[in-house]
Protein backbone atom coordinates (compact mmCIF):
# COMPACT_ATOMS: atom_id res chain seq x y z
CA UNK A 1 0.00 0.00 0.00
CA UNK A 2 1.34 3.40 -1.01
CA UNK A 3 1.71 5.78 1.91
CA UNK A 4 2.97 9.35 1.96
CA UNK A 5 3.52 11.11 5.27
CA UNK A 6 4.30 14.81 5.38
CA UNK A 7 5.85 16.65 8.30
CA UNK A 8 7.58 19.91 9.11
CA UNK A 9 4.70 22.34 8.88
CA UNK A 10 3.88 25.03 11.39
CA UNK A 11 3.73 28.74 12.09
CA UNK A 12 6.53 30.91 10.72
CA UNK A 13 7.02 34.64 10.45
CA UNK A 14 7.15 36.41 7.09
CA UNK A 15 10.66 36.13 5.68
CA UNK A 16 11.32 32.94 7.61
CA UNK A 17 12.15 29.44 6.47
CA UNK A 18 10.65 26.00 6.85
CA UNK A 19 11.58 22.56 5.57
CA UNK A 20 8.87 20.05 4.73
CA UNK A 21 9.51 16.32 4.50
CA UNK A 22 7.54 13.54 2.87
CA UNK A 23 8.36 9.94 3.75
CA UNK A 24 7.13 7.43 1.20
CA UNK A 25 6.49 3.71 1.46
CA UNK A 26 4.82 0.95 -0.51
CA UNK A 27 6.59 1.54 -3.83
CA UNK A 28 10.09 1.76 -5.31
CA UNK A 29 10.71 5.42 -4.56
CA UNK A 30 13.46 6.20 -7.08
CA UNK A 31 11.34 4.92 -9.97
CA UNK A 32 8.83 7.74 -9.68
CA UNK A 33 8.71 11.50 -9.88
CA UNK A 34 7.29 13.32 -6.87
CA UNK A 35 5.62 16.66 -6.39
CA UNK A 36 4.35 19.23 -3.92
CA UNK A 37 0.92 20.77 -4.34
CA UNK A 38 -0.64 23.34 -2.02
CA UNK A 39 -4.09 24.54 -1.12
CA UNK A 40 -4.65 27.89 0.55
CA UNK A 41 -7.48 28.01 3.11
CA UNK A 42 -10.82 27.66 1.33
CA UNK A 43 -9.16 27.77 -2.08
CA UNK A 44 -8.32 25.40 -4.91
CA UNK A 45 -5.23 23.38 -5.69
CA UNK A 46 -1.96 24.92 -6.85
CA UNK A 47 0.96 22.87 -8.14
CA UNK A 48 4.20 24.07 -6.50
CA UNK A 49 7.16 21.93 -7.55
CA UNK A 50 8.11 18.56 -8.99
CA UNK A 51 11.22 16.40 -9.16
CA UNK A 52 12.09 13.53 -11.45
CA UNK A 53 12.75 10.07 -10.04
CA UNK A 54 16.52 10.47 -10.26
CA UNK A 55 16.37 13.94 -8.75
CA UNK A 56 18.07 15.39 -11.83
CA UNK A 57 15.20 17.45 -13.19
CA UNK A 58 13.24 19.91 -11.04
CA UNK A 59 10.33 22.13 -11.94
CA UNK A 60 8.74 25.07 -10.09
CA UNK A 61 5.77 27.36 -10.40
CA UNK A 62 6.89 30.95 -11.00
CA UNK A 63 5.76 32.29 -7.62
CA UNK A 64 8.21 30.07 -5.70
CA UNK A 65 11.21 30.09 -8.05
CA UNK A 66 14.31 31.25 -6.23
CA UNK A 67 12.65 30.79 -2.82
CA UNK A 68 11.72 27.08 -2.67
CA UNK A 69 13.93 24.08 -3.40
CA UNK A 70 12.65 20.56 -3.96
CA UNK A 71 14.96 17.63 -3.31
CA UNK A 72 14.90 13.95 -2.52
CA UNK A 73 16.88 11.28 -0.70
CA UNK A 74 16.20 8.09 -2.61
CA UNK A 75 18.12 5.97 -0.11
CA UNK A 76 15.58 6.94 2.56
CA UNK A 77 12.49 7.29 0.33
CA UNK A 78 12.07 10.90 1.39
CA UNK A 79 11.27 14.11 -0.47
CA UNK A 80 11.85 17.60 0.86
CA UNK A 81 10.69 21.14 0.22
CA UNK A 82 12.98 23.86 1.55
CA UNK A 83 10.97 27.05 1.75
CA UNK A 84 12.80 30.35 2.26
CA UNK A 85 11.66 33.98 2.27
CA UNK A 86 8.17 32.88 3.16
CA UNK A 87 5.26 35.24 2.51
CA UNK A 88 1.72 35.40 3.81
CA UNK A 89 0.42 34.07 0.50
CA UNK A 90 2.44 30.88 1.00
CA UNK A 91 0.01 29.96 3.78
CA UNK A 92 -1.58 26.68 2.75
CA UNK A 93 -1.88 22.98 3.30
CA UNK A 94 1.03 21.40 1.43
CA UNK A 95 0.44 17.98 -0.08
CA UNK A 96 3.11 15.52 -1.11
CA UNK A 97 2.07 13.57 -4.20
CA UNK A 98 3.44 10.66 -6.16
CA UNK A 99 3.57 10.66 -9.96
CA UNK A 100 3.00 7.37 -11.81
CA UNK A 101 6.08 7.83 -13.99
CA UNK A 102 9.75 8.82 -13.87
CA UNK A 103 8.92 12.32 -15.12
CA UNK A 104 6.21 14.57 -13.62
CA UNK A 105 2.72 14.07 -15.04
CA UNK A 106 -0.43 13.75 -12.95
CA UNK A 107 -0.65 12.61 -9.32
CA UNK A 108 -1.89 9.16 -8.39
CA UNK A 109 -1.34 9.17 -4.63
CA UNK A 110 -1.48 12.04 -2.16
CA UNK A 111 -0.45 12.47 1.44
CA UNK A 112 -2.83 13.93 4.00
CA UNK A 113 -1.10 17.29 3.88
CA UNK A 114 0.69 19.56 6.32
CA UNK A 115 -0.33 23.09 7.25
CA UNK A 116 2.08 25.98 6.80
CA UNK A 117 1.02 29.31 8.27
CA UNK A 118 3.03 32.43 7.52
CA UNK A 119 2.06 35.18 9.92
CA UNK A 120 3.56 37.64 12.34
CA UNK B 1 0.55 29.06 -18.66
CA UNK B 2 -2.56 27.09 -19.54
CA UNK B 3 -5.58 28.49 -17.70
CA UNK B 4 -8.20 25.93 -16.70
CA UNK B 5 -11.80 27.10 -16.33
CA UNK B 6 -14.34 24.81 -14.72
CA UNK B 7 -18.09 25.22 -14.83
CA UNK B 8 -20.34 25.46 -13.07
CA UNK B 9 -18.72 26.63 -9.85
CA UNK B 10 -21.42 24.86 -7.83
CA UNK B 11 -23.86 22.18 -8.89
CA UNK B 12 -26.87 21.32 -6.70
CA UNK B 13 -28.17 17.84 -7.45
CA UNK B 14 -30.15 15.01 -5.91
CA UNK B 15 -28.77 11.50 -5.33
CA UNK B 16 -29.31 9.30 -8.38
CA UNK B 17 -29.09 12.15 -10.86
CA UNK B 18 -26.58 12.27 -13.69
CA UNK B 19 -24.12 15.16 -13.57
CA UNK B 20 -21.77 16.64 -16.13
CA UNK B 21 -18.85 18.87 -15.16
CA UNK B 22 -17.00 21.00 -17.69
CA UNK B 23 -13.32 21.93 -17.92
CA UNK B 24 -12.12 24.30 -20.62
CA UNK B 25 -8.47 25.11 -21.26
CA UNK B 26 -6.95 28.29 -22.68
CA UNK B 27 -4.78 26.25 -25.07
CA UNK B 28 -5.19 22.88 -26.69
CA UNK B 29 -4.07 20.00 -24.48
CA UNK B 30 -1.58 17.76 -26.24
CA UNK B 31 -2.05 14.00 -26.14
CA UNK B 32 -5.20 14.45 -24.03
CA UNK B 33 -3.02 14.96 -20.97
CA UNK B 34 -5.87 15.85 -18.63
CA UNK B 35 -6.75 14.42 -15.20
CA UNK B 36 -9.67 14.75 -12.78
CA UNK B 37 -9.56 14.62 -8.99
CA UNK B 38 -12.19 14.38 -6.27
CA UNK B 39 -11.74 16.11 -2.92
CA UNK B 40 -14.11 15.35 -0.08
CA UNK B 41 -14.27 17.77 2.88
CA UNK B 42 -11.23 17.48 5.12
CA UNK B 43 -9.52 14.98 2.84
CA UNK B 44 -6.70 14.99 0.34
CA UNK B 45 -7.58 14.92 -3.35
CA UNK B 46 -8.03 11.52 -5.00
CA UNK B 47 -7.21 10.74 -8.61
CA UNK B 48 -10.30 9.74 -10.62
CA UNK B 49 -9.37 10.01 -14.29
CA UNK B 50 -6.14 10.42 -16.27
CA UNK B 51 -5.43 10.75 -19.98
CA UNK B 52 -8.88 12.34 -20.33
CA UNK B 53 -10.86 9.11 -20.08
CA UNK B 54 -8.95 6.38 -18.20
CA UNK B 55 -10.32 5.60 -14.76
CA UNK B 56 -7.77 5.24 -11.98
CA UNK B 57 -7.54 2.03 -9.98
CA UNK B 58 -10.62 1.43 -7.85
CA UNK B 59 -12.71 4.25 -9.35
CA UNK B 60 -16.32 3.16 -9.95
CA UNK B 61 -17.58 2.83 -13.51
CA UNK B 62 -20.17 5.56 -12.93
CA UNK B 63 -17.32 8.07 -13.40
CA UNK B 64 -16.34 8.76 -16.99
CA UNK B 65 -14.23 11.36 -18.76
CA UNK B 66 -14.25 12.63 -22.31
CA UNK B 67 -13.13 15.49 -24.50
CA UNK B 68 -10.27 16.76 -26.60
CA UNK B 69 -8.50 19.95 -27.57
CA UNK B 70 -9.77 22.56 -25.15
CA UNK B 71 -13.07 21.05 -23.96
CA UNK B 72 -13.25 18.24 -21.44
CA UNK B 73 -16.02 16.67 -19.39
CA UNK B 74 -16.37 14.55 -16.28
CA UNK B 75 -19.66 12.70 -15.97
CA UNK B 76 -21.14 10.82 -13.04
CA UNK B 77 -23.93 8.58 -14.24
CA UNK B 78 -25.90 8.20 -10.99
CA UNK B 79 -24.76 10.32 -8.09
CA UNK B 80 -24.13 8.47 -4.83
CA UNK B 81 -23.94 10.07 -1.38
CA UNK B 82 -20.16 9.72 -1.32
CA UNK B 83 -19.84 11.66 -4.58
CA UNK B 84 -20.79 15.00 -3.04
CA UNK B 85 -17.41 16.69 -3.15
CA UNK B 86 -15.29 19.19 -5.07
CA UNK B 87 -13.89 18.10 -8.44
CA UNK B 88 -10.76 19.51 -10.06
CA UNK B 89 -9.34 19.11 -13.54
CA UNK B 90 -5.58 19.33 -14.16
CA UNK B 91 -3.49 19.51 -17.29
CA UNK B 92 -0.05 17.92 -17.62
CA UNK B 93 0.56 18.90 -21.22
CA UNK B 94 2.84 21.82 -20.39
CA UNK B 95 4.61 23.65 -17.56
CA UNK B 96 3.51 24.79 -15.11
CA UNK B 97 1.01 22.08 -14.28
CA UNK B 98 -2.29 23.84 -13.64
CA UNK B 99 -5.60 23.01 -12.00
CA UNK B 100 -9.07 24.34 -12.53
CA UNK B 101 -10.68 26.26 -9.68
CA UNK B 102 -12.99 23.35 -8.90
CA UNK B 103 -16.66 22.46 -9.15
CA UNK B 104 -18.51 21.76 -5.94
CA UNK B 105 -21.24 19.12 -6.22
CA UNK B 106 -23.66 19.63 -3.36
CA UNK B 107 -26.92 18.12 -2.19
CA UNK B 108 -30.01 19.80 -3.61
Amino acid sequence: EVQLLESGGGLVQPGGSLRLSCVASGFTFNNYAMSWIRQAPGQGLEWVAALSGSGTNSYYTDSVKGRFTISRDNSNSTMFLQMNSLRADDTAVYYCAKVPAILPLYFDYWGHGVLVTVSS
Amino acid sequence: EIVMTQSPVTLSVSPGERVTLSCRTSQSILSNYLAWYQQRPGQAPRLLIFSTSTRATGVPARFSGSGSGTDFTLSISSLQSEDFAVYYCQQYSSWPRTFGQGTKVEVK
Side-chain angles (χ1 to χ4, degrees), chain B residues 16 43 74 80:
Chain B
Q43 295 187 16
L74 175 70
Q80 305 298 301

Short mmCIF file of all heavy atoms in Angstrom, two decimals, chain B residues 16 43 74 80:
data_model
loop_
_atom_site.label_atom_id
_atom_site.label_comp_id
_atom_site.label_asym_id
_atom_site.label_seq_id
_atom_site.Cartn_x
_atom_site.Cartn_y
_atom_site.Cartn_z
N GLY B 16 -28.73 10.05 -7.26
CA GLY B 16 -29.31 9.30 -8.38
C GLY B 16 -29.29 10.05 -9.69
O GLY B 16 -29.47 9.45 -10.76
N GLN B 43 -10.38 16.04 3.36
CA GLN B 43 -9.52 14.98 2.84
C GLN B 43 -8.60 15.49 1.74
O GLN B 43 -8.80 16.56 1.18
CB GLN B 43 -10.39 13.84 2.28
CG GLN B 43 -11.22 13.12 3.32
CD GLN B 43 -11.91 11.89 2.75
OE1 GLN B 43 -11.56 11.40 1.66
NE2 GLN B 43 -12.89 11.37 3.47
N LEU B 74 -16.28 15.66 -17.23
CA LEU B 74 -16.37 14.55 -16.28
C LEU B 74 -17.85 14.30 -16.04
O LEU B 74 -18.59 15.24 -15.71
CB LEU B 74 -15.68 14.89 -14.96
CG LEU B 74 -15.84 13.85 -13.84
CD1 LEU B 74 -15.05 12.59 -14.17
CD2 LEU B 74 -15.38 14.43 -12.50
N GLN B 80 -24.02 9.12 -6.13
CA GLN B 80 -24.13 8.47 -4.83
C GLN B 80 -23.79 9.47 -3.72
O GLN B 80 -23.18 10.51 -3.97
CB GLN B 80 -23.18 7.27 -4.75
CG GLN B 80 -23.37 6.26 -5.87
CD GLN B 80 -24.75 5.63 -5.86
OE1 GLN B 80 -25.15 5.02 -4.86
NE2 GLN B 80 -25.50 5.80 -6.95
#
